[in-house]
Amino acid sequence: MRILAIEASGMVASCAVADENAIIGEFTINNKKTHSQTLLPMVDELLKRLEMKVSDMDAFAISKGPGSFTGLRIGSATVKGFALALDKPVVEVPTLQALAADIAQTEKLICPLIDARNENVFAGIYSYKNEFAKIKDDVSGDAGTGTEFQNVIPESIEPDMALDIRTVCGKLNGYGREVIFLGDGAKVYRSIIEEEMKTKYCFAGNNNLMPRAASCAFLAVRYYNEGHIIKGDLHAPEYLKKSQAERNLGKQP
Amino acid sequence: MKDITILGIESSCDETAAAVVVNGRDVRSNIISSQIDIHRMYGGVVPEIASRKHIENIDPVVRQALETAGMTFNDIDAIAVTYGPGLVGALLVGVAHAKALAYALNKPLIGVHHIEGHISANFIQYKELEPPFICMVVSGGHTHLIKMTGYGEYEIIGKTRDDAAGEAFDKVARALELEYPGGPKIDKLAKTGDPHAIEFPRAKVENAYYDFSFSGVKSAVLNYINSCRMKGVEPDKADIAASFQNCLVDSIVTRTIAAAKEYGLSKVALAGGVAANSGLREGMKNACDKENIELYYPAPVLCTDNAAMIACAGYYEYIKGKRSGLSLNAVPNLKLGEA
């Protein structure tokens, strides 16, 4: 089973191929928002290097959002095109969960933050649950590097949210647990986080700051195996925010 | 010769459309999912909402285009897609989808200029129509008088210096408190009014006979409405609509006929959304009849944004060998002649 994953929800354009055993390849660029021009040539280049064809894939995974509305749609339209052309399913992966999965097993809370401008963020609160404890018990043995290890994923303990950064910090303070911040929002609002946080916290390094298709593919393999697949027609990005026009309409008396 | 079958995709504004066309003119399906009802409550097209709807609609619309044509992707020789001009977010959905389809199916991709699509709608309507002819393109974003010299080949003779004709229609419609989209509403209202009730100015562009200017007449209409209201008189909307439309039609018709005569062409075609305007059709028909010019205009369904016209334009590009690459981008301000 092979999955091609696409991540285009923000500044990063990324694609990756994974199967049950490994991330087979990844191509990631964190430079300019030119996804419309770069994404498909990147997929082409990646598949050529892997000596694979897009028709060799069993499913197409998409980092479904939240994020840049336009970026999300470029990724979505691409994945939908693949799925429709080849009659293969789509696996939707929450962008913030994929981002959280960049942090390996930890007992801390993971808070992925995507900058949504003007002190607003798309935020998630994730943690590793029971599986982590199981792995920890086995830490002296081989199981720690086995299949179980690979399948551990961070789970959301609150629905992903679109809020201002200070409110997110307030929510986190309520948990009274140590927090790891990551994502571009962690960098942009670092000083506000430092001001607002009452519990212990730390920031992930640059290697963990961005959403990557490898993480999306990693989660997608698990979702695929659990049967969480949909027809491409049914996939639409998770914007978490209505359009400005709809919000304005709602404000009118 | 083997038949060439093109799948066309269009998402430049508020219609998600897909069509299957054989040999450029034989339309096997022409599916249009319109969002007009959604945008009406905002008084115009909201780009973000349009883009979101495109993403939801694109797969079913393409599927339906194939099903209606009784075909599968195996029967398709190439995919043509509108890459500009239009709303960038809206265009991107069609472009990214078409590129992914073409890549996964290993079929050629052809980026098509939206307005060249509108012109091509005439080839679908009239199987015998061939260039050269004069084409008057009138839409929400365009007012171009062009000389078609071949398929996908043309010279621009004149264009608007300010508002496009469709834009002027929309702005006047808003001033008359007509519902979006305003063009058809003005057309309907104009039938009940006197086209000579108010003489609005017919602007000429100095040293450029074939160019248009519509911002003057638009302002004149707005001023007229305001001055009526200042006097406490309710303006006669039907007379305003009729007089305004007559003014626009007159500007368009006189230049088109003059161009046909100057270039010695006995065929004139209308293209674009405003080509569905009955006043324009009638005015142009009368003028063409007087000069023994044959007039062509597409049926209303082909005047609105549709993908059959994109597949048609794509076909003529295809047989000329034009192909677009995987890096094809949406170009919101794509100019005519730059495709």
Side-chain angles (χ1 to χ4, degrees):
Chain A
M1 185 271 293
R2 279 184 190 142
I3 291 179
L4 169 66
I6 300 285
E7 164 58 63
S9 68
M11 184 65 83
V12 174
S14 178
C15 52
V17 176
D19 63 16
E20 279 102 334
N21 300 315
I23 306 296
I24 305 167
E26 185 191 24
F27 190 165
T28 298
I29 285 183
N30 180 22
N31 185 24
K32 288 180 189 165
K33 276 194 195 169
T34 52
H35 302 348
S36 171
Q37 285 161 281
T38 52
L39 191 62
L40 200 51
M42 284 169 67
V43 169
D44 184 47
E45 183 63 30
L46 175 67
L47 292 175
K48 275 184 185 148
R49 297 275 163 180
L50 298 178
E51 295 176 341
M52 291 177 189
K53 293 195 296 288
V54 70
S55 54
D56 295 331
M57 301 299 133
D58 295 288
F60 299 97
I62 177 73
S63 173
K64 68 182 274 197
S68 143
F69 298 164
T70 299
L72 288 171
R73 279 190 291 266
I74 292 170
S76 283
T78 303
V79 163
K80 278 166 166 280
F82 290 157
L84 180 62
L86 301 168
D87 198 21
K88 297 281 171 64
V90 164
V91 183
E92 294 180 318
V93 175
T95 301
L96 291 164
Q97 187 181 28
L99 194 47
D102 278 352
I103 302 294
Q105 289 74 359
T106 173
E107 284 179 307
K108 295 168 186 158
L109 285 181
I110 306 168
C111 180
L113 295 171
I114 295 169
D115 180 21
R117 291 193 295 272
N118 302 322
E119 297 194 7
N120 291 308
V121 287
F122 295 117
I125 303 177
Y126 286 80
S127 80
Y128 288 95
K129 292 182 182 167
N130 299 332
E131 288 163 302
F132 174 70
K134 193 167 70 187
I135 296 299
K136 209 172 83 166
D137 290 344
D138 269 345
V139 81
S140 56
D142 294 337
T145 53
T147 321
E148 282 178 59
F149 180 89
Q150 290 184 22
N151 284 337
V152 176
I153 64 170
E155 290 173 50
S156 63
I157 55 177
E158 281 199 37
D160 290 345
M161 52 199 122
L163 284 173
D164 69 280
I165 181 66
R166 290 176 202 275
T167 308
V168 173
C169 291
K171 277 176 178 279
L172 289 165
N173 286 332
Y175 284 95
R177 288 171 63 183
E178 192 171 347
V179 182
I180 304 178
F181 288 99
L182 76 164
D184 65 348
K187 204 161 206 174
V188 175
Y189 301 118
R190 184 176 183 131
S191 61
I192 299 177
I193 292 167
E194 286 171 344
E195 208 175 289
E196 297 285 332
M197 287 305 292
K198 308 269 190 288
T199 61
K200 279 182 77 179
Y201 63 89
C202 62
F203 294 97
N206 279 346
N207 60 326
N208 297 120
L209 270 180
M210 59 187 184
R212 292 165 52 164
S215 304
C216 178
F218 163 68
L219 295 180
V221 166
R222 173 157 173 158
Y223 285 144
Y224 181 91
N225 285 332
E226 287 173 354
H228 295 301
I229 55 172
I230 58 169
K231 193 174 168 184
D233 298 42
L234 300 176
H235 161 65
E238 175 59 81
Y239 302 102
L240 274 193
K241 257 184 165 173
K242 287 182 171 168
S243 67
Q244 191 67 48
E246 285 168 288
R247 277 178 270 156
N248 292 348
L249 203 65
K251 277 181 212 152
Q252 283 166 13
Chain B
M1 211 176 85
K2 186 192 166 292
D3 283 346
I4 305 290
T5 304
I6 309 279
L7 170 66
I9 295 177
E10 149 73 34
S11 69
S12 65
C13 190
D14 60 343
E15 334 269 359
T16 320
V20 175
V21 177
V22 176
N23 296 333
R25 303 198 185 209
D26 178 4
V27 178
R28 300 294 175 87
S29 65
N30 189 16
I31 308 300
I32 303 169
S33 170
S34 173
Q35 309 171 3
I36 280 186
D37 290 340
I38 299 159
H39 296 289
R40 188 172 284 134
M41 59 205 239
Y42 299 99
V45 177
V46 181
E48 176 60 23
I49 295 176
S51 307
R52 290 185 181 197
K53 283 289 153 194
H54 284 311
I55 270 287
E56 289 168 26
N57 293 338
I58 189 105
D59 281 338
V61 164
V62 170
R63 241 180 241 285
Q64 210 184 329
L66 288 171
E67 274 166 26
T68 305
M71 291 187 188
T72 68
F73 283 121
N74 290 334
D75 302 308
I76 303 297
D77 292 292
I79 295 168
V81 65
T82 307
Y83 74 104
L87 303 169
V88 64
L91 287 165
L92 279 170
V93 174
V95 168
H97 196 259
K99 287 201 299 185
L101 284 176
Y103 179 69
L105 298 165
N106 203 16
K107 310 259 185 197
L109 175 76
I110 303 143
V112 172
H113 192 295
H114 180 74
I115 296 302
E116 291 184 22
H118 273 301
I119 296 166
S120 301
N122 283 289
F123 297 133
I124 295 172
Q125 189 72 43
Y126 303 95
K127 310 293 178 218
E128 74 288 358
L129 177 62
E130 284 178 14
F133 55 86
I134 293 292
C135 187
M136 185 66 226
V137 180
V138 267
S139 72
H142 288 76
T143 306
H144 279 69
L145 184 57
I146 65 180
K147 180 183 159 195
M148 290 297 292
T149 51
Y151 293 104
E153 288 162 23
Y154 48 84
E155 292 162 23
I156 297 169
I157 303 170
K159 61 185 174 189
T160 181
R161 294 296 183 98
D162 38 58
D163 291 354
E167 213 176 336
F169 266 103
D170 282 339
K171 287 175 181 169
V172 167
R174 214 165 293 152
L176 292 175
E177 293 159 341
L178 301 175
E179 243 188 6
Y180 170 84
K185 300 271 180 342
I186 290 191
D187 192 15
K188 200 173 163 198
L189 198 56
K191 290 189 206 306
T192 63
D194 174 3
H196 300 289
I198 313 135
E199 288 303 324
F200 292 121
R202 284 151 170 75
K204 285 193 177 119
V205 179
E206 210 173 323
N207 299 326
Y209 175 75
Y210 289 116
D211 279 358
F212 302 85
S213 168
F214 295 125
S215 72
V217 57
K218 174 201 68 190
S219 302
V221 173
L222 303 188
N223 289 339
Y224 178 82
I225 295 170
N226 281 338
S227 70
C228 286
R229 290 191 175 141
M230 301 256 285
K231 288 181 216 148
V233 186
E234 192 50 35
D236 186 322
K237 288 185 182 179
D239 281 352
I240 294 171
S243 300
F244 162 73
Q245 182 166 302
N246 180 50
C247 177
L248 247 75
V249 166
D250 195 36
S251 300
I252 293 168
V253 168
T254 50
R255 285 169 179 77
T256 308
I257 299 294
K261 285 163 82 172
E262 180 177 335
Y263 292 95
L265 294 170
S266 59
K267 291 185 276 189
V268 160
L270 294 175
V274 183
N277 180 280
S278 69
L280 176 60
R281 289 177 176 214
E282 201 182 301
M284 195 67 88
K285 181 86 180 91
N286 292 338
C288 284
D289 284 350
K290 267 187 214 148
E291 303 290 342
N292 271 327
I293 293 168
E294 196 73 37
L295 176 65
Y296 302 85
Y297 50 76
V301 67
L302 290 171
C303 285
T304 185
D305 289 350
N306 68 88
M309 68 186 197
I310 300 304
C312 174
Y315 167 79
Y316 288 105
E317 297 297 314
Y318 177 84
I319 58 176
K320 279 192 274 183
K322 183 189 162 180
R323 303 290 183 268
S324 300
L326 296 180
S327 59
L328 179 71
N329 199 6
V331 184
N333 300 316
L334 187 64
K335 301 277 185 297
L336 260 179
E338 277 181 7

